[in-house]
């Protein structure tokens, strides 16, 4: 098990496959992009599969989410998914993507064993999309979402971040659109993970702001805490169901007490939290000849020291030095 001193057990592994991305979202990275990790520093396909195998067979991980950067930019993605789907016990496999290129590979990913996808889409307006992402790829994302649904990667979840003065009035429109297309919408509070360190708590769109906006058009009924479990999203049924909407309030309603995640960066570092400022190196041990038992023990040691919370409410909070693209969101 991957347990910590607060009684939490990590069963959900987030694996960053690359720090590269083909968008330049304003809340994630600067327009010119970032200095990408050198290729020799990235885990190879075999190394990723081996560490996932250790997590599943030795440490009790039951869910694996592939992230980035943009994981669809990883050339060996389909093979990695297929090899992880062949593990015993078989973990549930998912992918977080910006949707660009998903139209081309959705069917192959489903055939390889991927169970579902999360796709980021913050706006229904192509011009606003261009302003937010600095790229003209809105139609590609919509086609990727449709392809995921057609391939059976259900439920197709759509993640949206609302920004003040940009898309903050779009919540009801986004939910209406998601319901019509059979997607499950989740709003995510903007988090302080941008390398520009431009995030400001007093101007962010909060969960309460989002819910007030949605309530102007929809009747929302909260799900029970039991139904939520360790999931990061609080969920509401919409107009009596069956459709649901979620809000991940990482900043204003942190869920640290029930967190069940462990994270592996694209260069083989264990992170206990998105906001952690410390990492534990598995890549060095793996390349130094460590066997699975040693790798598992190093991972256990890293997770045992997980802090009680993210520290967002502490006046001394400092953003992680690494940007979100390197961490794996």
């Amino acid at each position: 098990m991957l347990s910590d001193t607060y009684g939490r057990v990590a069963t959900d592994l987030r694996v960053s496959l690359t720090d590269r991305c083909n968008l330049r979202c304003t809340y994630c990275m600067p327009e010119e992009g970032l200095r990408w990790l050198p290729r020799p520093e990235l885990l190879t396909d075999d190394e990723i599969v081996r560490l996932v195998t250790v997590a599943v067979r030795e440490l009790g991980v039951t869910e694996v989410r592939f992230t980035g950067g943009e994981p669809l930019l990883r050339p060996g993605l389909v093979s990695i998914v297929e090899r992880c789907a062949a593990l015993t016990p078989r973990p549930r496999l998912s992918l977080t993507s910006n949707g660009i290129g998903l139209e081309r590979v959705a069917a192959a990913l489903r055939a390889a064993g991927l169970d579902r996808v999360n796709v980021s889409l913050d706006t229904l307006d192509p011009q606003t999309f261009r302003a937010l992402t600095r790229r003209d790829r809105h139609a590609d994302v919509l086609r990727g979402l449709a392809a995921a649904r057609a391939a059976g990667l259900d439920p197709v979840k759509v993640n949206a971040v609302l920004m003040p003065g940009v898309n903050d009035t779009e919540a009801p429109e986004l939910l209406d659109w998601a319901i019509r297309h059979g997607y499950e919408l989740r709003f995510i509070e903007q988090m302080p993970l941008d390398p520009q360190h431009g995030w400001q708590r007093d101007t962010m769109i909060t969960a309460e702001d989002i819910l007030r906006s949605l309530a102007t058009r929809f009747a929302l009924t909260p799900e029970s805490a039991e139904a939520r479990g360790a999931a990061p999203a609080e969920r509401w049924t919409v107009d009596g169901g069956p459709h649901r909407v979620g809000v991940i309030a990482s900043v204003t309603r942190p869920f640290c007490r029930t967190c069940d995640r462990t994270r592996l960066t694209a260069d083989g570092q264990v992170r206990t939290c998105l906001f952690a400022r410390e990492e534990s190196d598995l890549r060095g041990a793996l390349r130094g000849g460590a066997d699975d038992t040693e790798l598992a023990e190093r991972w256990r040691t890293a997770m045992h020291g997980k802090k009680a919370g993210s520290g967002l409410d502490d006046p001394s909070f400092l953003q992680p030095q690494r940007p979100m693209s390197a961490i794996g969101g």
Side-chain angles (χ1 to χ4, degrees):
M1 289 196 310
L2 288 171
S3 59
D4 62 34
T5 56
Y6 298 93
R8 296 168 297 194
V9 177
T11 58
D12 185 333
L13 169 61
R14 305 297 170 98
V15 182
S16 175
L17 299 182
T18 178
D19 62 329
R20 296 175 182 264
C21 190
N22 42 15
L23 296 180
R24 297 292 182 271
C25 296
T26 57
Y27 53 78
C28 186
M29 67 174 66
E31 185 172 4
E32 66 274 14
L34 300 167
R35 180 177 294 179
W36 309 125
L37 291 167
R39 190 176 186 85
E41 294 184 15
L42 295 174
L43 293 174
T44 66
D45 292 2
D46 288 344
E47 289 171 337
I48 289 170
V49 173
R50 183 175 172 199
L51 289 177
V52 171
T53 301
V54 169
V56 170
R57 292 181 176 171
E58 306 289 334
L59 299 171
V61 164
T62 58
E63 297 194 26
V64 178
R65 172 88 61 87
F66 298 109
T67 71
E70 174 44 55
L72 294 181
L73 295 179
R74 179 86 186 201
L77 173 61
V78 173
S79 174
I80 290 171
V81 169
E82 185 173 33
R83 293 167 68 185
C84 291
L87 293 175
T88 302
R90 186 203 189 281
R92 183 164 173 79
L93 302 175
S94 60
L95 177 82
T96 293
S97 170
N98 62 29
I100 296 174
L102 187 55
E103 178 185 24
R104 175 176 50 84
V105 296
L109 287 169
R110 184 69 184 99
L114 191 70
D115 294 300
R116 65 173 188 83
V117 293
N118 287 29
V119 176
S120 299
L121 181 64
D122 303 322
T123 178
L124 298 178
D125 181 75
Q127 299 303 318
T128 304
F129 182 90
R130 184 184 296 122
L132 276 169
T133 68
R134 304 186 180 103
R135 298 290 187 272
D136 188 16
R137 307 297 297 272
H138 190 261
D140 295 305
V141 179
L142 295 181
R143 287 195 296 268
L145 280 163
R149 181 105 193 277
L153 291 167
D154 293 320
V156 176
K157 295 184 179 180
V158 176
N159 296 338
V161 176
L162 299 183
M163 305 285 289
V166 181
N167 62 338
D168 52 331
T169 63
E170 286 196 54
E173 184 180 3
L174 279 163
L175 181 53
D176 178 71
W177 166 83
I179 289 172
R180 286 187 285 110
H181 288 82
Y183 306 138
E184 185 173 326
L185 180 63
R186 303 194 308 177
F187 293 97
I188 304 176
E189 287 183 338
Q190 184 192 1
M191 294 179 283
L193 290 165
D194 60 306
Q196 311 95 295
H197 288 200
W199 177 84
Q200 294 182 344
R201 184 180 185 126
D202 58 352
T203 62
M204 63 172 281
I205 305 301
T206 68
E208 288 300 324
D209 296 330
I210 295 164
L211 292 170
R212 276 195 298 268
S213 180
L214 292 176
T216 63
R217 192 182 304 183
F218 304 96
L220 304 179
T221 304
E223 289 191 340
S224 66
E226 291 77 14
R228 180 184 183 185
E234 297 178 74
R235 295 188 303 186
W236 287 259
T237 55
V238 181
D239 292 341
H243 302 290
R244 297 177 299 186
V245 64
V247 178
I248 299 177
S250 302
V251 179
T252 62
R253 301 178 186 177
F255 43 89
C256 302
R257 285 182 297 177
T258 59
C259 181
D260 64 350
R261 299 179 186 180
T262 182
R263 298 176 182 275
L264 186 65
T265 67
D267 54 350
Q269 311 300 305
V270 172
R271 292 183 64 91
T272 61
C273 174
L274 268 178
F275 303 106
R277 294 181 62 82
E278 306 85 19
E279 296 178 338
S280 301
D281 181 30
L282 288 186
R283 184 192 64 198
L286 188 156
R287 293 180 179 178
D291 61 17
D292 289 357
T293 300
E294 180 181 345
L295 292 172
E297 187 56 35
R298 285 173 176 261
W299 208 326
R300 287 191 192 94
T301 299
M303 292 302 297
H304 189 71
K306 184 173 182 173
K307 295 181 179 179
S310 63
L312 280 171
D313 291 324
D314 190 323
S316 64
F317 172 78
L318 294 174
Q319 292 186 214
Q321 294 178 332
R322 303 189 83 180
M324 184 188 300
S325 61
I327 294 171

